[in-house]
Amino acid sequence: MSSFQILCLVILICFIASTSAYVSLSVVEMVLAAVFYVIYMCDLNTRIGIINWPWSDFFRTLIAAILYLIISIIVLVEHNNSSKIIAGVVGLIAACLFGYDAYFTFPLKKQRHTAAPTGPTDGPV
């Protein structure tokens, strides 16, 4: 299991213990993390050229960060018991980690430019 799957499983357990209204986000993110893990481990991203995998992974993590942030704030505002507080705090940690992953999977950050030639361009001297 990847670290994001484990984190989503912990949040899923906390959300189930506190309220079942926010469980679907954890389940969807856990399944998507598993799908992307299998795709990258089986090297399917090089075989399936129709989908731009770096951008889809970036948008998956960015959307997860935003949704976990929103849901965690909602859960922390309506804190009735300790399991909701724990779920909200772990959700905020997940939002930070998904944001960190989105920052480092940003596809344009990985593009490198080649150095310009520094020799004379009019031929040998």
Side-chain angles (χ1 to χ4, degrees), residues 2 5 30-57 60:
S2 70
Q5 287 175 316
M30 191 167 51
V31 168
L32 285 176
V35 166
F36 273 87
Y37 183 74
V38 168
I39 286 171
Y40 282 118
M41 293 309 293
C42 294
D43 204 26
L44 294 175
N45 57 339
T46 58
R47 296 180 191 164
I48 304 172
I50 298 171
I51 300 172
N52 191 343
W53 293 105
W55 279 106
S56 57
D57 193 24
R60 177 190 66 87

Coordinates of all heavy atoms in Angstrom, one line a residue, residues 2 5 30-57 60:
S2 N 0.5 2.2 -0.7 CA 1.2 3.5 -0.7 C 0.8 4.3 0.5 O -0.1 4.0 1.2 CB 0.9 4.3 -2.0 OG -0.4 4.8 -2.0
Q5 N -2.6 5.8 0.4 CA -3.7 4.8 0.6 C -3.9 4.6 2.2 O -5.0 4.5 2.7 CB -3.4 3.5 0.0 CG -3.6 3.5 -1.5 CD -3.1 2.2 -2.1 OE1 -2.1 1.6 -1.7 NE2 -3.9 1.7 -3.0
M30 N -8.8 6.9 -1.9 CA -8.1 5.6 -1.7 C -8.1 4.8 -3.0 O -7.0 4.2 -3.3 CB -8.7 4.9 -0.5 CG -7.8 3.7 -0.1 SD -8.3 3.0 1.5 CE -10.1 2.7 1.3
V31 N -9.2 4.7 -3.7 CA -9.2 3.9 -4.9 C -8.4 4.6 -6.0 O -7.7 3.9 -6.7 CB -10.7 3.8 -5.3 CG1 -10.8 3.2 -6.8 CG2 -11.5 2.9 -4.4
L32 N -8.5 5.9 -6.1 CA -7.7 6.6 -7.1 C -6.2 6.5 -6.9 O -5.4 6.3 -7.8 CB -8.1 8.1 -7.2 CG -9.4 8.3 -7.9 CD1 -9.7 9.8 -7.9 CD2 -9.3 7.9 -9.4
A33 N -5.8 6.5 -5.6 CA -4.4 6.3 -5.3 C -3.9 4.9 -5.6 O -2.8 4.7 -6.1 CB -4.1 6.6 -3.8
A34 N -4.8 3.9 -5.4 CA -4.4 2.6 -5.8 C -4.3 2.4 -7.3 O -3.4 1.7 -7.8 CB -5.5 1.6 -5.2
V35 N -5.2 3.1 -8.0 CA -5.2 3.0 -9.5 C -3.9 3.6 -10.0 O -3.2 3.0 -10.9 CB -6.5 3.6 -10.1 CG1 -6.3 3.9 -11.6 CG2 -7.7 2.8 -9.8
F36 N -3.6 4.8 -9.6 CA -2.4 5.4 -10.1 C -1.1 4.7 -9.6 O -0.1 4.6 -10.4 CB -2.3 6.9 -9.6 CG -3.0 7.8 -10.5 CD1 -4.4 8.1 -10.3 CD2 -2.3 8.5 -11.5 CE1 -5.0 9.0 -11.2 CE2 -3.0 9.4 -12.3 CZ -4.3 9.6 -12.2
Y37 N -1.2 4.1 -8.5 CA 0.0 3.3 -8.0 C 0.2 2.1 -8.9 O 1.3 1.8 -9.3 CB -0.3 2.8 -6.6 CG 0.8 2.0 -6.0 CD1 2.0 2.6 -5.6 CD2 0.7 0.6 -5.8 CE1 3.0 1.9 -5.0 CE2 1.7 -0.1 -5.2 CZ 2.9 0.6 -4.8 OH 3.9 -0.2 -4.2
V38 N -0.9 1.4 -9.3 CA -0.8 0.2 -10.2 C -0.3 0.7 -11.6 O 0.5 0.0 -12.2 CB -2.1 -0.5 -10.3 CG1 -2.2 -1.5 -11.4 CG2 -2.4 -1.2 -8.9
I39 N -0.9 1.8 -12.1 CA -0.5 2.3 -13.4 C 1.0 2.6 -13.5 O 1.7 2.2 -14.4 CB -1.3 3.5 -13.8 CG1 -2.8 3.1 -14.1 CG2 -0.7 4.3 -14.9 CD1 -3.7 4.2 -14.3
Y40 N 1.5 3.3 -12.5 CA 2.9 3.6 -12.5 C 3.8 2.4 -12.2 O 4.9 2.3 -12.7 CB 3.2 4.8 -11.5 CG 2.8 6.1 -12.0 CD1 1.9 6.9 -11.4 CD2 3.4 6.6 -13.2 CE1 1.5 8.1 -11.9 CE2 3.1 7.9 -13.7 CZ 2.1 8.6 -13.0 OH 1.8 9.8 -13.5
M41 N 3.4 1.5 -11.4 CA 4.2 0.3 -11.1 C 4.3 -0.6 -12.2 O 5.3 -1.3 -12.4 CB 3.7 -0.4 -9.8 CG 3.9 0.5 -8.5 SD 5.6 1.1 -8.3 CE 6.5 -0.3 -8.1
C42 N 3.2 -0.8 -13.0 CA 3.2 -1.7 -14.1 C 3.7 -1.0 -15.4 O 3.6 -1.6 -16.5 CB 1.8 -2.2 -14.3 SG 1.2 -3.3 -13.0
D43 N 4.1 0.2 -15.3 CA 4.6 1.0 -16.4 C 3.6 1.2 -17.5 O 3.9 1.2 -18.7 CB 5.9 0.4 -17.0 CG 6.8 1.4 -17.7 OD1 6.6 2.6 -17.3 OD2 7.5 1.0 -18.5
L44 N 2.3 1.3 -17.1 CA 1.2 1.4 -18.1 C 1.1 2.9 -18.6 O 0.6 3.1 -19.6 CB -0.1 1.1 -17.5 CG -0.3 -0.4 -17.1 CD1 -1.6 -0.6 -16.4 CD2 -0.2 -1.3 -18.4
N45 N 1.8 3.8 -17.9 CA 1.7 5.2 -18.3 C 2.5 5.4 -19.6 O 2.2 6.3 -20.4 CB 2.2 6.1 -17.2 CG 3.6 5.8 -16.8 OD1 4.1 4.6 -17.0 ND2 4.3 6.7 -16.1
T46 N 3.5 4.6 -19.9 CA 4.2 4.7 -21.2 C 3.5 4.0 -22.3 O 3.7 4.3 -23.4 CB 5.6 4.1 -21.0 OG1 5.6 2.7 -20.6 CG2 6.4 4.9 -20.0
R47 N 2.7 3.0 -22.0 CA 1.9 2.2 -23.0 C 0.6 2.9 -23.4 O 0.2 2.7 -24.5 CB 1.6 0.8 -22.5 CG 2.9 0.0 -22.2 CD 2.5 -1.3 -21.7 NE 3.7 -2.0 -21.2 CZ 3.7 -3.1 -20.5 NH1 2.6 -3.6 -20.1 NH2 4.8 -3.6 -20.1
I48 N 0.0 3.6 -22.5 CA -1.2 4.3 -22.8 C -0.9 5.8 -23.0 O -0.8 6.5 -22.1 CB -2.3 4.1 -21.7 CG1 -2.5 2.7 -21.4 CG2 -3.6 4.8 -22.0 CD1 -3.3 2.4 -20.1
G49 N -0.8 6.1 -24.3 CA -0.3 7.5 -24.6 C -1.5 8.5 -24.8 O -1.2 9.6 -25.0
I50 N -2.7 8.0 -24.7 CA -3.8 8.9 -24.9 C -4.0 9.9 -23.8 O -4.3 11.0 -24.0 CB -5.1 8.1 -25.1 CG1 -5.0 7.2 -26.3 CG2 -6.3 8.9 -25.2 CD1 -6.1 6.2 -26.5
I51 N -3.7 9.4 -22.6 CA -3.9 10.2 -21.4 C -2.5 10.8 -21.0 O -1.5 10.2 -21.0 CB -4.4 9.3 -20.2 CG1 -5.8 8.7 -20.6 CG2 -4.5 10.1 -18.9 CD1 -6.3 7.7 -19.6
N52 N -2.6 12.1 -20.6 CA -1.4 12.8 -20.1 C -1.3 12.5 -18.6 O -2.0 13.1 -17.8 CB -1.5 14.3 -20.4 CG -0.2 15.0 -20.1 OD1 0.7 14.4 -19.5 ND2 0.0 16.2 -20.7
W53 N -0.5 11.5 -18.2 CA -0.5 11.0 -16.9 C 0.1 12.0 -15.9 O -0.5 12.1 -14.7 CB 0.3 9.7 -16.8 CG -0.4 8.6 -17.5 CD1 -0.1 8.1 -18.7 CD2 -1.6 8.0 -17.1 NE1 -1.0 7.1 -19.1 CE2 -2.0 7.0 -18.1 CE3 -2.4 8.1 -16.0 CZ2 -3.1 6.2 -18.0 CZ3 -3.6 7.3 -15.9 CH2 -3.9 6.4 -16.9
P54 N 1.1 12.8 -16.2 CA 1.6 13.7 -15.2 C 0.5 14.8 -14.8 O 0.3 15.1 -13.7 CB 2.8 14.4 -15.8 CG 3.3 13.4 -16.8 CD 2.1 12.7 -17.3
W55 N -0.2 15.3 -15.8 CA -1.2 16.3 -15.6 C -2.4 15.6 -14.8 O -3.0 16.3 -13.9 CB -1.7 16.9 -16.8 CG -0.8 18.0 -17.3 CD1 0.0 18.0 -18.4 CD2 -0.7 19.3 -16.7 NE1 0.7 19.2 -18.5 CE2 0.3 20.0 -17.5 CE3 -1.3 19.9 -15.6 CZ2 0.7 21.3 -17.2 CZ3 -0.9 21.2 -15.3 CH2 0.1 21.9 -16.1
S56 N -2.8 14.4 -15.2 CA -3.9 13.8 -14.5 C -3.6 13.5 -13.0 O -4.4 13.7 -12.1 CB -4.4 12.5 -15.2 OG -3.3 11.6 -15.3
D57 N -2.3 13.1 -12.7 CA -1.9 12.9 -11.4 C -1.8 14.2 -10.6 O -2.2 14.3 -9.4 CB -0.5 12.2 -11.3 CG -0.2 11.7 -10.0 OD1 -1.1 11.4 -9.2 OD2 1.0 11.5 -9.7
R60 N -5.4 15.2 -9.8 CA -6.0 14.4 -8.8 C -5.5 14.8 -7.4 O -6.3 14.9 -6.5 CB -5.5 12.9 -9.0 CG -6.0 11.9 -7.9 CD -5.4 10.6 -8.1 NE -4.0 10.6 -7.8 CZ -3.4 10.5 -6.6 NH1 -4.2 10.4 -5.6 NH2 -2.1 10.5 -6.5

